[in-house]
Amino acid sequence: MTKKTSHPETIGLVKDDPWLQPFEPAISGRHQHAIDKLNELTRNCRQPLTDFADGYLYFGLHHTDSGWVLREWAPNATAIYIVGDFNSWSEMPQYGLKAKNDGVWEIKLPERAMKHGDLFKLRIHWNGGEGERIPAWANRVVQDDNTKIFSAQVWAPTPYKWKVKKFRPNTSPLLIYECHIGMAQDAEKVGTYTEFKDNILPRIIADGYNCIQIMAIAEHPYYGSFGYHVSNFFAPSSRFGTPEELKELIDEAHKAGVAVIMDIVHSHAVKNEMEGLGNFAGDPCQYFMQGDRREHPAWDSLCFDYGKNEVIHYLLSNCKYWLEEFHFDGYRFDGVTSMLYYSHGLGEAFGGYADYYNGHEDDNAIAYLTLANLLIHEVNPHAITIAEEVSGMPGLAAPFDKGGYGFDYRMAMNIPDYWIKTIKELKDEDWKPSSMFWETTNRRADEKTISYAESHDQALVGDKTIIFRLIDADMYWHFRKGDENFTVNRGIALHKMIRLLTASTINGGYLNFMGNEYGHPEWIDFPREGNGWSHKYARRQWNLVDNHELCYHYLGDFDSAMIHLIGGTRGFQRTKVQEVWHNDGDQVLAYTRGDLLFVFNFSPDRSYTDYGFLVKEGSYRVVLNTDSSSFGGNDLDDISIEHFTTSDQLYRRQHKGWLQLYLPARTAVVLKKQ
């Protein structure tokens, strides 16, 4: 239980960053607002926050020793009936809910009233109208294959027996494989939880990743929304299988030491009324903002009202539900920027600290995010929380006790944008190592980040992955071994170097989207009317990386070697990234992390003999080389050679010597001090 009920005299966030001093009143005020809300919800900490978030145990449909009980919050309703397979979808008095206090409706039914697998909905009446609705707390929602109509489903199977009852993620460092269950298979169809467990999870484990981040878990009416237009926040998507099959997937990952986090969407909700919360009981704003703040101007969705305790209760209960019921190890919170600002961050530059404290911030949303982090870590102290946030709001991933919002990590969203801009706008000879190093290491000292070269965003139709920006159509014609042209060789080399630089400079974690590690050649385009509802581009072609007559496996094999090196280096996360050398004219960069030395030569046409650096005295051996023939390189350097430093009287007291290396053009090498 959180014990901190008043803010410190001097906010720690400001102590850590004196440039925030002018904004301390705003920072302190936000922090106190979160504390006040925490005290209100926990009765001044007389009960833990986790007790407040038990809504899913009370609301919704539950099987009890005496039968069934269903409860819903619908303050605007005048009458509510359960209709379904068990009563011919007609209103019957015995299936009518009764109004209790504070807008809560309840019904208790005998065992015979319904059974596991029955479909049902609520028929809600209000002044001036009525409609069929899926319960807001439904934990199972299915779609009819013929009518395409969604309904809640009575779900009370034999409880799943967990094989791994306690699990602690390995976060040193966090190596995340971002994935989507439905599009994870080769086949042109929607994949399942079981197929992912059997076919894809073993690949991820073999590649060395220690965490999977699963998208599109909560039910969403439109598959093509990538799971970002959620309708049923407590129902795992049935298009991928049953809740028990999802639990089995998570259990299997835990058995292999792999954490499982969920892409959670609390920044907005689908507008649909029949499937979602859009007009649950005749009040379009029961869960959402009033007036012109109700609809998100860019996402065609609805914005939650974080100022309502009932909404906070719903969302916090949702956070606890997935942790407790499915053993998820945490969340990546989507669309945090949209939550933080009244403008949703649209059209704002965020050029300086003043832009974060000019009165356009939504303190209620900030309080909710802070409470969500407190709750999640109260439920599971080892849980992982990541904020997808583009504005750079200070304190987002700083501890609550320092005045922060409590996320463990924030996404380093500047890095993929930087790589896209570099590839698009600069000739190879103009790539500057100093700029690359700055962009991948420029972050707040008091906040951990998740670095990535590209995520699912860059793989969608309308954008391009790194491999496509580098090689484009030549991937279709010259990616067979022996038929590579200059464009392909350049693309393979830079793809590896970009990933190595991004992954090796992390200060928290690294993320890769499914298939990007081996240069998946096609964009993501979900089934829609415009493509004839085809699944051709909503899948991953594993046959390409498995075919060793093609070049894809070079990239996949390198990624696996890189991830194993980073994940297998003891204390990697605790070591500082220390620049050894950069020369933009030569296009050479070198830095160390502990005993590892990373050296890059980005020059497209200049190789260097006996290129020297001052490093710790001793001997060094190559542990990873992008130019290895096993990764599609040319083996221009003999990696079996042990490299010794040459002493220099000027640097003897510093225990440094000169290390001289052969650096082929457009290659990178990692050496380890012996």
Side-chain angles (χ1 to χ4, degrees), residues 618-620 642-646 658-660:
S619 65
Y620 292 77
E642 186 171 3
H643 300 270
F644 295 89
T645 57
T646 303
W658 292 97
L659 185 69
Q660 294 180 297

Side-chain angles (χ1 to χ4, degrees), residues 337 341 343-352 355-356 360 389-392:
T337 304
Y341 306 98
S343 66
H344 305 292
L346 300 173
E348 303 221 30
F350 300 106
D355 294 332
Y356 305 117
H360 68 158
E389 205 283 311
V390 71
S391 78

Side-chain angles (χ1 to χ4, degrees), residues 549-622:
E549 294 182 2
L550 303 177
C551 295
Y552 296 97
H553 84 89
Y554 287 144
L555 302 178
D557 291 346
F558 174 78
D559 189 81
S560 179
M562 177 185 75
I563 293 298
H564 275 100
L565 173 64
I566 293 171
T569 300
R570 189 177 181 87
F572 185 89
Q573 178 55 40
R574 295 191 300 273
T575 59
K576 291 183 178 180
V577 182
Q578 296 185 311
E579 186 178 20
V580 170
W581 174 262
H582 81 260
N583 185 306
D584 287 344
D586 295 341
Q587 294 183 276
V588 172
L589 171 67
Y591 53 88
T592 59
R593 286 197 87 138
D595 289 335
L596 294 179
L597 170 65
F598 299 83
V599 184
F600 296 78
N601 177 11
F602 278 95
S603 173
D605 52 17
R606 287 174 294 168
S607 298
Y608 303 104
T609 304
D610 295 332
Y611 203 102
F613 309 99
L614 270 174
V615 295
K616 289 180 181 178
E617 287 181 327
S619 65
Y620 292 77
R621 284 194 176 275
V622 173

Side-chain angles (χ1 to χ4, degrees), residues 91 112 116 122 154 193 236 292 302-303 343 415 516 613 636:
E91 294 181 12
R112 66 179 182 278
H116 173 70
L122 301 179
V154 177
Y193 298 121
D292 59 5
L302 303 179
C303 302
S343 66
I415 296 176
N516 284 355
F613 309 99
L636 294 177

Side-chain angles (χ1 to χ4, degrees), residues 468-483:
F468 243 101
R469 289 188 184 280
L470 291 169
I471 301 178
D472 216 291
D474 281 350
M475 288 198 72
Y476 295 116
W477 307 106
H478 296 285
F479 231 57
R480 182 170 292 276
K481 288 182 179 179
D483 192 37

Side-chain angles (χ1 to χ4, degrees), residues 486-663:
F486 170 81
T487 301
V488 167
N489 286 329
R490 168 185 176 265
I492 289 175
L494 289 175
H495 193 269
K496 292 178 290 186
M497 295 176 74
I498 287 169
R499 277 176 149 63
L500 180 60
L501 179 51
T502 304
S504 61
T505 51
I506 58 175
N507 78 325
Y510 172 74
L511 177 142
N512 166 73
F513 177 67
M514 177 176 65
N516 284 355
E517 72 277 11
Y518 66 85
H520 196 281
E522 293 172 346
W523 55 82
I524 300 166
D525 188 13
F526 281 91
R528 56 186 173 84
E529 189 173 2
N531 64 18
W533 302 103
S534 169
H535 287 81
K536 182 177 181 180
Y537 298 110
R539 62 190 178 116
R540 298 282 90 176
Q541 298 182 60
W542 303 104
N543 64 91
L544 297 175
V545 71
D546 292 342
N547 185 348
H548 279 220
E549 294 182 2
L550 303 177
C551 295
Y552 296 97
H553 84 89
Y554 287 144
L555 302 178
D557 291 346
F558 174 78
D559 189 81
S560 179
M562 177 185 75
I563 293 298
H564 275 100
L565 173 64
I566 293 171
T569 300
R570 189 177 181 87
F572 185 89
Q573 178 55 40
R574 295 191 300 273
T575 59
K576 291 183 178 180
V577 182
Q578 296 185 311
E579 186 178 20
V580 170
W581 174 262
H582 81 260
N583 185 306
D584 287 344
D586 295 341
Q587 294 183 276
V588 172
L589 171 67
Y591 53 88
T592 59
R593 286 197 87 138
D595 289 335
L596 294 179
L597 170 65
F598 299 83
V599 184
F600 296 78
N601 177 11
F602 278 95
S603 173
D605 52 17
R606 287 174 294 168
S607 298
Y608 303 104
T609 304
D610 295 332
Y611 203 102
F613 309 99
L614 270 174
V615 295
K616 289 180 181 178
E617 287 181 327
S619 65
Y620 292 77
R621 284 194 176 275
V622 173
V623 292
L624 186 65
N625 180 21
T626 65
D627 194 44
S628 169
S629 58
S630 59
F631 305 139
N634 299 304
D635 279 336
L636 294 177
D637 204 355
D638 185 353
I639 63 173
S640 66
I641 294 175
E642 186 171 3
H643 300 270
F644 295 89
T645 57
T646 303
S647 62
D648 188 320
Q649 292 295 331
L650 290 174
Y651 302 100
R652 200 162 190 176
R653 289 188 177 181
Q654 300 174 34
H655 303 288
K656 288 185 176 181
W658 292 97
L659 185 69
Q660 294 180 297
L661 302 172
Y662 173 52
L663 305 180

